[in-house]
């Protein structure tokens, strides 16, 4: 039987010094590929709004959209822990909202946890969710839902504030924290100061795990590429090549051949 990854297995991995892998996915086929590749955790990120829906940022994404994508990913994964993002304005207005929307996501997708953005300001919200049995992954540093407040997608360098945010979410009961776009030295110090795992994105090698957006690492999204992304494959190029071949063969009559036709 497949051993599934849980929030407690991530804590155990940190304790043993085993690095944690996280990649985003938004649909069934990619969730299956991630699971077959033994990626530990799949994040149904609100980055879906940018890399799948084509918005300029994540702000327009709705809870219903997260539920749609979350369900597809949960259906495609047997082993990985699936974490679904709470989108912008689904948890910031009140704790009651946060409980209701996080509850819907857990109930309607079957995911194992939710993620929300913010440090000290979200401490009470995280605690309230954890108290009712909803595991929360926090997200500090560059928090894309606050892009208008932060003045763009920039590296976050305020060490004291970052350390306080990390402590606050850990004390509130988050089982892990994503640290985005933070100098490697600061992220390492945060990782060493916490008992919960840190998952870095643009935060250097000292984090307890790493996360990348699937469409960035596989070059399926070409509008922009953050400098911290490593391209592990160019599926955009491969896809264009395949589509050009298909188009040429249809136009010159070589597809469909007899093997693709019924007699
Ligand atoms: O939405 C997302 O994909 C994320 C990652 C960038 C961590 O939050």
């Amino acid at each position: 039987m497949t051993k599934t990854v849980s929030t407690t297995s991530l804590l155990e991995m940190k304790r043993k010094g085993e690095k944690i892998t996280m990649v985003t996915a938004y649909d069934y086929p990619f969730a299956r590929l991630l699971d077959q590749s033994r990626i530990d955790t799949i994040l149904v990120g609100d980055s879906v709004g940018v890399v799948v829906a084509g918005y300029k940022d994540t702000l327009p994404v709705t809870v219903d959209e997260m539920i749609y994508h979350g369900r597809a990913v949960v259906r495609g994964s047997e082993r990985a822990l699936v974490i679904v993002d709470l989108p912008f304005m689904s948890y910031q207005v009140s704790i009651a909202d946060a409980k209701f929307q996080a509850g819907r996501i857990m109930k309607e997708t079957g995911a194992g946890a939710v993620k929300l953005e913010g440090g000290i300001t979200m401490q009470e919200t995280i605690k309230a969710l954890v108290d009712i049995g909803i595991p929360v992954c926090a997200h500090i540093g560059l928090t894309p839902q606050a892009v208008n407040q932060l003045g763009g997608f920039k590296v976050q360098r305020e060490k004291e504030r970052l350390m306080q945010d990390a402590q606050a979410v850990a004390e509130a009961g988050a089982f892990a924290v994503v640290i985005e776009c933070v100098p490697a030295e600061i992220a390492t110090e945060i990782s060493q100061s916490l008992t919960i795992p840190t998952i870095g994105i643009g935060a250097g090698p000292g984090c307890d795990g790493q996360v990348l957006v699937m469409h960035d690492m596989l070059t399926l999204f070409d509008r922009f590429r953050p400098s911290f992304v490593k391209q592990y494959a160019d599926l955009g190029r491969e896809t264009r090549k395949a589509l050009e071949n298909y188009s040429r063969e249809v136009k010159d009559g070589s597809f469909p051949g007899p093997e693709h036709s019924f007699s």
Side-chain angles (χ1 to χ4, degrees):
M1 205 178 91
T2 320
K3 189 175 175 308
T4 56
V5 179
S6 65
T7 56
T8 48
S9 16
L10 301 187
L11 287 165
E12 184 61 12
M13 286 166 81
K14 168 154 180 148
R15 212 184 47 73
K16 291 198 287 204
E18 184 187 337
K19 294 277 188 186
I20 297 162
T21 51
M22 179 187 284
V23 177
T24 66
Y26 318 100
D27 59 26
Y28 176 82
F30 273 113
R32 277 179 67 78
L33 290 168
L34 291 185
D35 217 50
Q36 287 158 5
S37 312
R38 296 189 72 77
I39 295 295
D40 299 311
T41 59
I42 303 179
L43 174 64
V44 187
D46 59 359
S47 51
V48 68
V50 178
V51 299
V52 174
Y55 296 128
K56 75 173 176 18
D57 55 40
T58 58
L59 274 61
V61 177
T62 66
V63 173
D64 286 345
E65 287 165 346
M66 294 310 300
I67 289 173
Y68 171 82
H69 290 285
R71 273 185 182 154
V73 168
V74 168
R75 280 196 293 268
S77 56
E78 286 174 15
R79 174 184 173 269
L81 172 67
V82 177
I83 303 170
V84 177
D85 261 346
L86 279 164
F88 182 57
M89 279 300 131
S90 65
Y91 58 98
Q92 289 94 337
V93 175
S94 69
I95 287 181
D97 266 8
K99 285 181 178 173
F100 178 72
Q101 301 295 7
R104 274 193 69 202
I105 286 178
M106 297 295 288
K107 210 173 164 70
E108 296 180 36
T109 66
V114 295
K115 177 167 82 59
L116 58 78
E117 297 182 8
I120 295 172
T121 53
M122 282 297 137
Q123 190 171 26
E124 291 308 313
T125 305
I126 295 172
K127 188 171 177 323
L129 293 180
V130 173
D131 283 349
I132 58 168
I134 298 181
V136 178
C137 177
H139 183 157
I140 64 167
L142 171 58
T143 46
Q145 291 175 15
V147 61
N148 295 306
Q149 175 76 13
L150 298 172
F153 297 97
K154 296 175 182 164
V155 180
Q156 304 298 302
R157 301 179 183 279
E158 271 184 66
K159 182 172 172 185
E160 269 324 295
R161 173 67 199 234
L162 290 163
M163 299 289 293
Q164 285 166 7
D165 278 342
Q167 280 303 332
V169 299
E171 277 167 24
F175 69 87
V177 54
V178 166
I179 305 180
E180 179 163 355
C181 280
V182 165
E185 206 179 305
I186 300 178
T188 302
E189 206 172 314
I190 292 173
S191 304
Q192 287 167 354
S193 73
L194 298 182
T195 52
I196 62 167
T198 59
I199 314 289
I201 174 160
C207 294
D208 303 303
Q210 297 292 326
V211 53
L212 283 176
V213 170
M214 159 103 72
H215 288 56
D216 290 338
M217 68 184 290
L218 300 182
T219 326
L220 284 165
F221 178 76
D222 62 0
R223 209 167 69 211
F224 59 84
R225 183 175 346 114
S227 62
F228 56 76
V229 171
K230 178 168 175 181
Q231 288 174 279
Y232 282 85
D234 191 343
L235 298 193
R237 188 180 56 205
E238 290 304 310
T239 305
R240 272 190 302 275
K241 213 160 56 181
L243 293 171
E244 283 160 13
N245 285 341
Y246 164 73
S247 177
R248 199 190 54 250
E249 291 186 6
V250 170
K251 301 238 179 233
D252 71 14
S254 56
F255 176 81
E259 70 277 34
H260 303 115
S261 305
F262 300 107
S263 51

